[in-house]
Amino acid sequence: MTGGDEHPLALGALDGGERQTLTDRATVAIRAAIVDGRLRAGELYSVARLAERLEVSRTPVREALLLLERQGMVRFERNRGARVLKSSAHDLDEVFALRLLLEVPAARRAAELIGAHELEQLAEVLAAMREHVGDADERAFMAHDRRFHELLLAAAGNRRLVGVVGSLRDFVRFRGASTVGRGRDLSAIYEEHVRILDALRAGDPAAVGAAMRDHLVHTRELLLAADPAGDGEAAGEPPWPARLS
Amino acid sequence: MTGGDEHPLALGALDGGERQTLTDRATVAIRAAIVDGRLRAGELYSVARLAERLEVSRTPVREALLLLERQGMVRFERNRGARVLKSSAHDLDEVFALRLLLEVPAARRAAELIGAHELEQLAEVLAAMREHVGDADERAFMAHDRRFHELLLAAAGNRRLVGVVGSLRDFVRFRGASTVGRGRDLSAIYEEHVRILDALRAGDPAAVGAAMRDHLVHTRELLLAADPAGDGEAAGEPPWPARLS
DNA sequence: CCATAACATGTGACATGCTACTCACGCTCG
DNA sequence: CGAGCGTGAGTAGCATGTCACATGTTATGG
């Protein structure tokens, strides 16, 4: 279905930029800002102000916030603004309870279905992940972590699953780099992924499932320990980034 | 042209009178129209036309469609319209695979947590459901079916679970009443819910889980049999359900 | 008759105008 | 000095205007 529009003389396809709407880009930008704390939980933000920061009109910003509202990250308060919701420890428990229910069986299933190409992709992501263990770049590390899970879920053969888990992931904010980002923790998480990939290569569903379960449980503990129950007010963060790319 | 379009798609007079935005009401109206087929799968619809039918401006309609797009029910095609996506048999398998993973453990958990008040609510819904077995009002029956599952999921103590499963449910269109709506089928589904409630009352998690599993598997089969939209590539893919521990 | 170009039409994406509403702040009055 | 109140700034929600673009149709050249 995702066929080949591979025209031989593909005239200079406007490469880098896929046809993406401003709403899409605003969604990504705002979600990222919420996740890493540049937009603080509990605070009210107005569509107009955000639109100024992003240098777009109010419309795409409002549409982006509506999507994020549906996802549970913000809530519109009529005539007041959009409030960034805090994620409590209880929310984190809920998310990981569901991820356990979904990702562990999915990992088992992936062990049966996965092909050489997918294994290769996972290995590449893992290599990139390893890079960031050393420099303690939590942000980049987490991006690859996410990609790893996405590939694995896709390998389980259920497309919808990828979206559901992705949406669950988005709800979890990780605080400043000083929390999860300890080199030791990143290293441990990396090793857990290695174990998952090894079990996948061995084609051992039970082992893959167990490795995934351990990884999720451990990740939950790290996030829980890193969350001093609210506020946290990371110091010296730049208020908000400049525009979308 | 297009001769049809008999259905005004009127967005119902809002019920109790809760302060609801037009976007919310449009979302509900359009989703309902898609689910029961008044908006046909595979067809293109324009925001402006839908706005006319709903007698609101384009803005809330577009916002509603964006939410439904995120949910996977429609897809915007630039300068063409919003296409209602068809749900293939494969999609149905995906949805029910995830529902099995989530709702069976949730049902078991609910058996441990549920209180007298929730049991009472479930019994009420079940009674209402029974009413519609006789008159074969599939639409009303399904609404109560949905409510039953929502209550049960809520009783499992994970709020997010309710939303996730609800979103999965929405993707499944049930064809005309002539398909699933046979009295025999409705009666069977009703009996399955009775079995679930009985097991809940008995406080037997294993029995509740088994009953929920049977119910979901059966429902999936009914919907699959009722879906004549084979269009070739439909059947043939093995789900990957039913493997959970 | 066919291929191609020019045009007309309809569309999503985005910008902007408008209105009812909320709430903080300062003023008045007791 | 304190409580009540009006008022103005700011907001979401909704309506509408604008524009580039995709597509169907017609005109034109071979």
Side-chain angles (χ1 to χ4, degrees), chain A residues 20-23 56-60 78-80:
Chain A
Q20 222 178 197
T21 67
L22 285 183
T23 296
V56 296
S57 80
R58 308 194 306 266
T59 302
R78 189 179 176 88
N79 301 329
R80 300 258 301 149

Side-chain angles (χ1 to χ4, degrees), chain B:
Chain B
M1 55 183 232
T2 69
D5 295 350
E6 322 78 12
H7 291 276
L9 243 194
L11 74 161
L14 76 161
D15 45 331
E18 277 258 340
R19 183 60 179 174
Q20 237 180 175
T21 67
L22 286 183
T23 296
D24 292 335
R25 290 200 281 165
T27 304
V28 171
I30 294 174
R31 172 158 47 214
I34 290 176
V35 167
D36 66 19
R38 300 199 305 273
L39 293 181
R40 280 168 303 191
E43 214 72 17
L44 277 172
Y45 295 90
S46 86
V47 172
R49 299 286 264 273
L50 291 177
E52 283 178 21
R53 299 276 186 286
L54 294 171
E55 294 179 331
V56 296
S57 80
R58 308 194 305 270
T59 301
V61 173
R62 171 171 164 81
E63 288 172 348
L65 287 173
L66 277 171
L67 295 180
L68 294 176
E69 179 182 44
R70 176 158 179 62
Q71 193 179 327
M73 298 186 71
V74 305
R75 185 185 54 199
F76 272 105
E77 299 185 9
R78 188 182 174 87
N79 300 331
R80 301 256 303 151
R83 187 180 300 280
V84 177
L85 298 179
K86 345 186 179 189
S87 67
S88 67
H90 183 254
D91 290 315
L92 194 143
D93 281 341
E94 288 196 351
V95 166
F96 274 86
L98 298 186
R99 286 189 64 185
L100 278 169
L101 288 181
L102 293 171
E103 291 200 67
V104 172
R108 282 202 296 263
R109 183 76 175 135
E112 301 167 354
L113 296 179
I114 200 166
H117 181 58
E118 285 89 350
L119 282 172
E120 179 64 25
Q121 285 182 303
L122 284 174
E124 286 172 13
V125 172
L126 215 53
M129 204 185 284
R130 176 169 206 167
E131 292 293 314
H132 298 293
V133 172
D135 55 29
D137 183 349
E138 183 192 16
R139 196 174 160 77
F141 183 87
M142 285 310 220
H144 286 103
D145 176 288
R146 181 188 196 95
R147 182 76 185 131
F148 185 93
H149 284 260
E150 282 175 355
L151 286 171
L152 187 56
L153 291 169
N158 192 319
R159 279 175 311 163
R160 204 160 300 271
L161 178 61
V162 182
V164 170
V165 172
S167 154
L168 288 174
R169 274 185 81 107
D170 283 332
F171 195 79
V172 175
R173 332 249 195 293
F174 49 93
R175 313 294 174 186
S178 60
T179 56
V180 182
R182 300 312 311 149
R184 270 176 55 100
D185 291 339
L186 289 190
S187 178
I189 292 177
Y190 167 73
E191 289 299 336
E192 286 164 8
H193 285 89
V194 170
R195 197 177 138 219
I196 292 172
L197 182 55
D198 286 346
L200 278 171
R201 283 210 178 93
D204 183 346
V208 175
M212 177 60 82
R213 177 200 308 263
D214 292 344
H215 168 53
L216 289 174
V217 169
H218 184 211
T219 302
R220 172 184 163 278
E221 285 171 0
L222 284 180
L223 289 172
L224 204 56
D227 182 5
D231 69 355
E233 59 95 16
E237 275 293 317
W240 68 276
R243 293 194 54 102
L244 52 116
S245 51

